[in-house]
Amino acid sequence: LVETALLSILKSPGPFAFESLIQTFREWTLEEGGTIFQQGTPLSLGPVLCVLAHGVVDVMLTPAGSSDAEKVCTYDRPGQTFGDLEFLFQPDLGGRSATRKLRWATYQARTDVTLWVTDRETFNR
């Protein structure tokens, strides 16, 4: 599942790099209502790339000046990936800072969820 998902977002990883990347993933289970990413938290915290194995994840956005979250996206198919933009466009761009440093939305488990995740620190080892 992880291999197929990664092949869909990476053009042509070398065999060694690809195998090394797959080895950085770990299984993470969350109960219904669990938060994967919280809007406004630093990109450097939490997983950087998630592959959905089972369950339903809603993406909730609270617009500036509002206290009400709006559902903007749902992930419900095994193999779907999210967080990959943060993975591909890391906050540290060779000494230059990325424009966005905070999570843009909250990702929340609508049902019990199983993910395969990697974080920046583990991946960079």
Side-chain angles (χ1 to χ4, degrees), residues 46-108:
V48 69
L49 181 61
C50 302
V51 178
L52 181 64
H54 171 77
V56 180
V57 173
D58 288 326
V59 181
M60 308 296 292
L61 175 66
T62 303
S66 175
S67 60
D68 296 326
E70 303 170 6
K71 182 170 63 169
V72 295
C73 182
T74 297
Y75 294 93
D76 58 3
R77 293 187 311 271
Q80 286 183 300
T81 61
F82 52 90
D84 43 322
L85 290 178
E86 280 75 26
F87 174 69
L88 296 173
F89 304 105
Q90 299 178 9
D92 179 20
L93 302 172
R96 295 177 296 132
S97 295
T99 303
R100 188 166 57 88
K101 296 178 188 287
L102 303 176
R103 301 273 180 195
W104 71 276
T106 296
Y107 288 61
Q108 189 167 30

